[in-house]
Amino acid sequence: MAEFVPVDPFDIVIFGVSGDLSRQKLLPALFHRYCDGQIDASSNIIGVARSVMDAPAYIDMVRDCCQAATEGAWPEDMWQGFVKLLSYHEIDATDPQTDWRPLRDNFAGEDRPRIFYLAVGPRLYVPICQAIDAADLKSPLSRVVLEKPIGSDLQSAQRINDGVEAVFEENSIFRMDHYLGKETVQNLLILRFANMLFEPLWSNQTIDHIQITVAETLGVEGRHDYYDKAGAVRDIMQNHLLQLLCLIAMEPPNSLDAGNVRAEKIKVLNALKGFDAATVSNNTVRGQYTSGHIGDTRVAGYRDTLPDDIKNSETETFAAIKTEIANWRWAGVPFYLRTGKRMHARRSEIVIQFKSTPHNVFGEGQNQPNRLVLRLQPDEAMRLFMQVKEPGPGHMTLRSIPLDLFYARSFSSLKYPDAYERLLMDVVRGNLSLFMGLEEVMAAWSWTDNLLSAWDKADQKLEHYAAGTDGPLQASLLLDRDGRAWWNDDIEDGA
Ligand code: BG6
């Protein structure tokens, strides 16, 4: 088992505790950290929502969601301890008449971290921060956690940040992108900066192109209120995909200190090439899924699941783009990014495609380039495809065979903690390194705004793709035109 270092006792207030994020991620994450002995029994988990719920109904709700997220035998003894940390307050945080005293009574003191987790839509971030301030809920060790996407464009993100920063200082604002809490995403830093092997090869000298894919088989799962206004670019590309791109492309930071890592990421974002109405159609694809099959299950199309007033939605559930990073290391290396819902398979994957050897001594068709495939989820793996000789006398046939590192094989006794487990403990510790800084979020919005406005100006067509496929044909053509292809191979579970 991995060792879990206990964190100091803390108080956390979760706004929006009855919502999806809290039920599916936050409450189970806290429960699992408690079960592993990382959370002290004197900590307080204070739930806030507008839902009318008495204490037993709240406890039932928390139990249900923790049970749903717990594999194996249910640890009833642990649950009995965890339940003592819980309390619920039915509060409308935006109502000036709210009586905050009962909630305040739950705080154990000012000498421990006091965390405000805003598991609500971004439009409520500022009103809630103002309410926290007005009700005098802050303490010297207060922290606030904001979920992505922060706003819906640069302007709204700026407004939100101004409002939040009027109450909390920058170093107590934790901007969450849960991809950064994934073990395999953190491993990108180790791969690049703890191994000498790749660094000399990590540039336009030897790399042909890079692909980053975040594909899901899930649809919007009843979140159309949010998703239809956001779309794939705001939901995934502006944050998860760009963060992965930064980790792959940034220069080695001087240390893992949040400021140093952020500074390197910002340089990448600022060097990322944008689009205009003339270049956007050749370099990007917008897609939306229609009905289809995921495995044997027939699933409805995106529009089929929407309420009548938005039935003809033009929101993209898929986006693919070709971009470049304008600096010495990466000039000339295309970065192909794609994300989509209801795709053929769930995969978050980075493919580093090396150049072919400059001269081929083995004959026509024998010159497969090396390829490093970093599978972040599921079946976490690193595979380095090498050219080897197919055994046999009398001929020289080359095959591309991977050197495999399947994490499941190497760390078979370890379970991967959910990203939220790691990140929540980092908030308690006050460790900002895996959270996004203000400038980073702004740089990501600025690039995203440029893409969305180029789409607007060019009236970019929405391409349809059947659920259960690898996206619209146009996404394949995006690479095909360059003599390349998406890496769509499934890898078998290496366990
Ligand atoms: C969230 C998006 O940030 O990430 C969701 O809002 C998406 O639409 C989810 O489903 C994917 O996360 P993961 O961890 O399942 O890859």
Side-chain angles (χ1 to χ4, degrees):
M1 278 298 278
E3 247 184 59
F4 297 106
V5 181
V7 293
D8 291 339
F10 62 95
D11 295 340
I12 183 168
V13 183
I14 304 178
F15 290 89
V17 76
S18 58
D20 272 358
L21 175 67
S22 303
R23 283 184 291 123
Q24 284 175 27
K25 296 292 183 187
L26 305 182
L27 293 164
L30 289 166
F31 177 56
H32 293 149
R33 293 302 86 233
Y34 176 82
C35 291
D36 283 329
Q38 211 172 358
I39 295 183
D40 188 87
S42 72
S43 298
N44 292 303
I45 300 171
I46 305 161
V48 172
R50 283 183 307 186
S51 318
V52 182
M53 246 188 305
D54 59 13
Y58 178 66
I59 302 292
D60 283 350
M61 181 203 89
V62 182
R63 184 185 178 108
D64 286 351
C65 63
C66 291
Q67 261 175 344
T70 303
E71 288 170 9
W74 172 246
E76 182 61 31
D77 50 335
M78 285 295 164
W79 168 254
Q80 290 306 333
F82 184 69
V83 108
K84 300 196 181 99
L85 277 52
L86 302 175
S87 63
Y88 176 71
H89 298 269
E90 182 195 321
I91 280 180
D92 177 353
T94 58
D95 178 356
Q97 306 306 321
T98 294
D99 178 7
W100 293 93
R101 275 170 307 182
L103 185 146
R104 208 183 289 115
D105 289 345
N106 283 129
F107 292 142
E110 297 227 321
D111 55 348
R112 52 163 68 192
R114 187 176 291 176
I115 297 154
F116 299 96
Y117 201 118
L118 310 194
V120 294
R123 73 188 165 78
L124 290 175
Y125 290 171
V126 175
I128 293 182
C129 286
Q130 287 166 344
I132 290 170
D133 199 29
D136 206 14
L137 300 181
K138 270 195 332 170
S139 70
L141 285 179
S142 280
R143 284 151 208 176
V144 66
V145 188
L146 312 176
E147 272 288 331
K148 55 99 329 211
I150 298 176
S152 53
D153 55 18
L154 182 65
Q155 231 188 6
S156 57
Q158 187 66 61
R159 260 199 316 273
I160 290 175
N161 275 302
D162 290 348
V164 174
E165 282 194 340
V167 180
F168 293 94
E169 285 176 12
E170 174 63 18
N171 64 6
S172 55
I173 304 176
F174 288 70
R175 299 181 188 84
M176 177 78 93
D177 179 324
H178 78 277
Y179 260 57
L180 295 177
K182 289 184 191 275
E183 290 282 330
T184 43
V185 173
Q186 289 163 49
N187 222 0
L188 296 176
L189 291 173
I190 317 292
L191 171 85
R192 291 201 52 209
F193 306 130
N195 294 293
M196 195 52 212
L197 196 60
F198 293 114
E199 178 51 25
L201 305 177
W202 214 254
S203 75
N204 50 11
Q205 301 296 308
T206 37
I207 292 180
D208 176 73
H209 75 275
I210 292 183
Q211 304 179 10
I212 308 181
T213 297
V214 173
E216 299 180 86
T217 49
L218 286 181
V220 291
E221 315 300 306
R223 294 161 71 219
H224 46 257
D225 257 4
Y226 151 74
Y227 193 88
D228 198 62
K229 289 188 200 87
V233 167
R234 291 188 180 89
D235 186 46
I236 300 270
M237 201 172 269
Q238 188 269 348
N239 35 81
H240 305 331
L241 263 173
L242 288 188
Q243 286 294 327
L244 295 179
L245 175 120
C246 285
L247 295 178
I248 285 295
M250 71 187 193
E251 295 302 314
N254 158 259
S255 76
L256 282 189
D257 171 75
N260 284 326
V261 177
R262 287 173 178 181
E264 296 306 336
K265 290 202 266 177
I266 291 164
K267 285 187 210 156
V268 174
L269 291 168
N270 287 337
L272 202 54
K273 282 197 180 166
F275 307 94
D276 58 31
T279 56
V280 77
S281 22
N282 272 342
N283 292 297
T284 68
V285 179
R286 293 180 77 224
Q288 189 189 73
Y289 65 86
T290 55
S291 59
H293 283 87
I294 310 257
D296 292 335
T297 313
R298 181 161 177 80
V299 295
Y302 176 68
R303 289 182 184 168
D304 308 333
T305 58
L306 298 177
D308 284 345
D309 54 327
I310 48 170
K311 265 274 179 269
N312 294 324
S313 166
E314 291 276 305
T315 298
E316 82 283 354
T317 60
F318 175 97
I321 62 141
K322 173 185 172 187
T323 183
E324 228 183 276
I325 298 171
N327 64 20
W328 271 42
R329 189 190 280 265
W330 295 116
V333 178
F335 280 73
Y336 299 100
L337 315 182
R338 72 176 160 168
T339 181
K341 296 233 177 246
R342 287 284 191 232
M343 304 264 288
H344 155 71
R346 176 175 182 239
R347 65 166 74 199
S348 297
E349 195 167 72
I350 299 168
V351 178
I352 319 285
Q353 172 88 53
F354 292 90
K355 291 185 174 172
S356 301
T357 51
H359 170 64
N360 178 15
V361 294
F362 299 104
E364 221 21 49
Q366 298 259 54
N367 199 11
Q368 286 288 322
N370 297 121
R371 177 185 288 131
L372 176 64
V373 178
L374 307 169
R375 170 67 71 94
L376 307 173
Q377 64 182 22
D379 307 331
E380 297 78 2
M382 233 184 247
R383 313 184 92 197
L384 178 60
F385 284 81
M386 308 284 291
Q387 289 283 81
V388 297
K389 180 183 177 303
E390 197 175 271
H395 67 293
M396 189 70 98
T397 307
L398 269 58
R399 292 257 314 270
S400 186
I401 302 276
L403 290 175
D404 283 336
L405 168 63
F406 284 100
Y407 297 104
R409 259 188 227 145
S410 306
F411 303 106
S412 54
S413 60
L414 287 187
K415 59 176 184 185
Y416 278 33
D418 186 82
Y420 280 91
E421 298 184 27
R422 159 73 196 247
L423 294 173
L424 276 164
M425 296 301 93
D426 276 357
V427 177
V428 178
R429 290 189 196 99
N431 179 1
L432 282 158
S433 0
L434 297 177
F435 295 83
M436 298 179 292
L438 172 60
E439 233 188 298
E440 215 178 327
V441 174
M442 293 305 166
W445 270 126
S446 164
W447 181 85
T448 307
D449 279 5
N450 162 271
L451 167 65
L452 294 173
S453 107
W455 272 356
D456 254 8
K457 286 186 197 134
D459 204 7
Q460 180 90 0
K461 197 169 161 230
L462 186 68
E463 312 289 351
H464 291 280
Y465 62 101
T469 62
D470 287 317
L473 175 67
Q474 288 73 7
S476 307
L477 298 179
L478 185 69
L479 274 74
D480 198 51
R481 276 201 300 269
D482 298 342
R484 303 181 173 113
W486 290 105
W487 174 255
N488 283 331
D489 287 15
D490 288 328
I491 57 174
E492 68 284 7
D493 185 347

